Amino acid sequence: MAPTVLIAEISQQLTTAFDQLDGWFAAPAPLRSYHPANGGWTIDEILEHVALTNHFLLILIEKGTAKALKNAHGLDLATELANRQSVRVRLDEINQPGAFKWMRPNHMAPQGLKSGPQVAATLRQQLQQCQAVLGRLPNGEGVLYHTTMSVNDLGKMDVYDFVYFLAKHVERHLGQIGQVVAEYRS
């Protein structure tokens, strides 16, 4: 896949997913604070978790971006692009609850320390940060560095796949929000 097509696809996935997340901040407070019967998170807690997880993913994405750009001076980009092996099929499983077992680290659990508007602002900033990363890697440079992802035993992923993972994680929790809403309304 050409870098411009790949970047446009990832950018669209990010925009769509984050726009959907943003819409939940306008939901009525009783819905956002509803605790599911199974003891799961409220919508507000899910939104906070997504922001927390994005924070840590973006640290890795930013480091990978810097290293990929540094590697652009010593590696043959055309060869690396031709040999790119994406884990896209396995990444698409990320947004499917129950598709694999993985326990999130405790530091990614919601703590209720930020208000809804603060979480919303953080998520909007994170979307901009993801878009900026893609903008710094316009010619395929994101394939020049790989970071290991333990979730779903994904292994080594390039920067583009890492950003795509972040979008899929958002989608996963949009599905979880849908489940909370369905239970609330029943």
Side-chain angles (χ1 to χ4, degrees):
M1 181 181 303
T4 54
V5 173
L6 176 65
I7 291 166
E9 181 183 299
I10 296 169
S11 178
Q12 182 58 51
Q13 290 232 222
L14 287 164
T15 300
T16 300
F18 275 84
D19 284 352
Q20 290 176 16
L21 270 186
D22 196 54
W24 285 107
F25 289 97
L31 171 58
R32 285 194 338 270
S33 63
Y34 172 75
H35 280 276
N38 68 2
W41 290 337
T42 67
I43 292 172
D44 283 339
E45 290 170 329
I46 294 167
L47 293 167
E48 182 185 353
H49 162 73
V50 170
L52 284 168
T53 302
N54 289 352
H55 168 78
F56 292 105
L57 289 173
L58 280 162
I59 290 170
L60 296 172
I61 289 167
E62 289 287 358
K63 285 180 181 179
T65 300
K67 290 178 180 181
L69 290 170
K70 183 178 178 185
N71 287 345
H73 301 292
L75 296 174
D76 180 4
L77 181 58
T79 300
E80 296 298 323
L81 282 168
N83 294 328
R84 181 174 192 253
Q85 303 248 336
S86 176
V87 292
R88 178 67 63 99
V89 172
R90 297 202 37 240
L91 284 168
D92 287 336
E93 295 174 354
I94 299 304
N95 71 344
Q96 301 167 17
F100 61 93
K101 295 209 182 284
W102 191 76
M103 187 60 184
R104 54 115 186 97
N106 286 337
H107 63 274
M108 293 182 192
Q111 303 293 319
L113 301 177
K114 289 187 175 185
S115 68
Q118 289 173 313
V119 174
T122 297
L123 287 166
R124 283 190 289 276
Q125 180 275 325
Q126 290 170 338
L127 172 59
Q128 291 173 352
Q129 189 176 355
C130 287
Q131 299 289 12
V133 162
L134 294 174
R136 291 196 311 269
L137 304 168
N139 303 308
E141 298 91 343
V143 304
L144 299 175
Y145 186 77
H146 293 81
T147 305
T148 301
M149 171 57 75
S150 60
V151 175
N152 201 19
D153 295 320
L154 289 169
K156 296 272 189 188
M157 297 189 328
D158 67 31
V159 179
Y160 298 122
D161 278 346
F162 233 90
V163 176
Y164 186 77
F165 174 91
L166 187 145
K168 289 308 213 177
H169 179 258
V170 170
E171 289 176 12
R172 176 184 189 87
H173 289 292
L174 285 166
Q176 184 183 8
I177 288 171
Q179 293 171 339
V180 172
V181 171
E183 181 177 317
Y184 176 82
R185 290 185 175 155
S186 66

